[in-house]
Amino acid sequence: MNPLRIGTRGSALALWQARSIARVLRENTGIEPEIVIIKTSGDKFQQTSFSQIGTKGVFIKELEDALLDKRIDLAVHSMKDVPTEIPTGLAIAAIGRREDVRDALLSASGATLATLLQGARVGTSSLRRQSQLLFARPDLRLLELRGNVDTRIEKLKRGDYDAIVLAKAGLDRLGLSGNISQVLPHDLSLPAAGQGAIGIEARLEDAETRSILAALNDMETNKAVAAERAALAGLGGGCQVPIGAWGRVENEKLVLDVVVLTPDGKQRMWEKDSGLVEEAEAIGKRVAQKLRDGGATSLLERESRGTRA
């Protein structure tokens, strides 16, 4: 078999993820994978706001194009970047064992969310994080934050922000957890669907590669992420509306929490459900329907008017 070509973005975190998959493949198959760096729209427009370029597939579209064009054999993604709709001909062949799903606050002074000064400047590019922070602290000044993890930390250190919020899993993977001032509990900041999980995408027709990748799949993580993504899809999560979702297996049951907020954090709806692990997607759809029945539909429709798809 020819070397497997792994497509990835060129950021430090994306390369860490791709190399970790390459290492496992090397150990499992004896095949020496080749890493192919592909620049995505999200990488090309580092200084541009997401409100201008949109977020749907912004970090993976070019990788999927390379897969479909057979320039690579598999693509490695952060699952939180993967839209709920996968292009025809492609599939998520495996999701690795998930790491810490939580968000982390980094502040120059070492302050926690509760002890940040009134009106503190907090950087994040995520509407989900922004809205949850404002729900807890309406006085905060939320500012756009773009760039790779190390760039964002440098911006904090030079005083552009009083605090920033990043995914803990990325900081852990890059050995940067020492910068964390507070790991945010789930009731303060519910993660993005798929946060902390690495997904591997391949062509449906490439049965040989998908068979090799199947050995890398962690079923518990796969089911938890499936529930989160089903809820996201059921809520129309492609629009610019803050949605957090956290699925996990507890006492052999799949438990799912989902939160929907307005961007200003003034309104928040939260639903929770559980069931058999095999019913992951059904649980996600059920939670989405509960939220819609409770009034999330009008919130989603109102907030998506005039915003990007």
Side-chain angles (χ1 to χ4, degrees):
M1 183 177 179
N2 293 325
L4 285 171
R5 297 164 298 170
I6 302 175
T8 178
R9 296 169 57 208
S11 72
L13 181 56
L15 285 170
W16 185 98
Q17 293 176 166
R19 286 165 182 156
S20 71
I21 297 302
R23 184 176 62 252
V24 175
L25 285 171
R26 193 181 301 116
E27 291 168 355
N28 286 2
T29 66
I31 296 168
E32 186 62 42
E34 175 191 348
I35 291 178
V36 180
I37 296 173
I38 294 171
K39 203 159 194 175
T40 68
S41 301
D43 299 310
K44 292 172 187 173
F45 303 105
Q46 285 283 351
Q47 304 308 315
T48 307
S49 167
F50 281 134
S51 62
Q52 293 174 276
I53 63 173
T55 57
K56 191 172 183 180
V58 70
F59 288 117
I60 72 165
K61 183 185 181 300
E62 286 82 357
L63 287 164
E64 290 181 327
D65 290 344
L67 263 177
L68 291 168
D69 294 344
K70 299 186 178 180
R71 288 179 280 131
I72 58 174
D73 302 301
L74 58 118
V76 178
H77 310 300
S78 293
M79 279 305 297
K80 68 180 178 61
D81 294 333
V82 180
T84 52
E85 294 178 9
I86 305 292
T88 302
L90 300 180
I92 300 299
I95 300 178
R97 185 165 184 79
R98 191 181 221 168
E99 295 189 33
D100 201 318
V101 303
R102 294 173 293 176
D103 287 325
L105 181 83
L106 290 67
S107 66
S109 64
T112 64
L113 185 60
T115 61
L116 280 173
L117 294 178
Q118 188 86 1
R121 302 161 303 154
V122 181
T124 175
S125 58
S126 161
L127 264 176
R128 172 191 61 80
R129 289 174 180 145
Q130 170 188 303
S131 59
Q132 293 187 95
L133 290 169
L134 287 173
F135 180 80
R137 287 282 308 268
D139 62 287
L140 295 176
R141 233 180 107 206
L142 273 295
L143 303 173
E144 181 86 13
L145 174 65
R146 293 292 313 280
N148 298 326
V149 174
D150 49 355
T151 303
R152 296 185 189 198
I153 292 174
E154 186 55 41
K155 288 178 179 180
L156 170 68
K157 289 181 175 177
R158 76 183 185 205
D160 294 359
Y161 307 88
D162 299 306
I164 62 174
V165 182
L166 300 171
K168 184 174 183 295
L171 293 165
D172 290 344
R173 287 167 179 152
L174 293 175
L176 296 171
S177 303
N179 293 283
I180 296 173
S181 303
Q182 179 189 14
V183 178
L184 298 176
H186 293 104
D187 59 346
L188 273 180
S189 189
L190 210 60
Q195 186 160 307
I198 298 173
I200 312 170
E201 193 173 19
R203 289 183 295 277
L204 272 173
E205 66 178 18
D206 190 353
E208 185 177 11
T209 296
R210 287 194 296 112
S211 174
I212 291 169
L213 294 175
L216 279 63
N217 189 57
D218 181 78
M219 190 54 66
E220 189 172 303
T221 300
N222 193 302
K223 292 297 185 183
V225 172
E228 295 164 2
R229 287 169 60 80
L232 193 64
L235 289 165
C239 57
Q240 186 177 315
V241 177
I243 300 171
W246 178 39
R248 69 275 186 200
V249 176
E250 294 178 352
N251 300 319
E252 299 183 1
K253 294 278 188 182
L254 195 145
V255 182
L256 177 66
D257 285 91
V258 180
V259 67
V260 178
L261 305 96
T262 51
D264 60 12
K266 289 181 178 177
Q267 288 181 270
R268 181 177 88 158
M269 296 181 63
W270 190 302
E271 281 292 346
K272 183 174 184 173
D273 205 340
S274 63
L276 298 175
V277 174
E278 308 85 70
E279 299 172 343
E281 290 189 26
I283 294 167
K285 290 175 183 176
R286 201 158 66 222
V287 171
Q289 191 58 54
K290 281 185 183 180
L291 284 161
R292 287 189 171 279
D293 291 345
T297 301
S298 59
L299 184 152
L300 291 165
E301 287 174 350
R302 185 172 73 251
E303 295 302 332
S304 63
R305 284 194 199 109
T307 60
R308 65 183 179 269

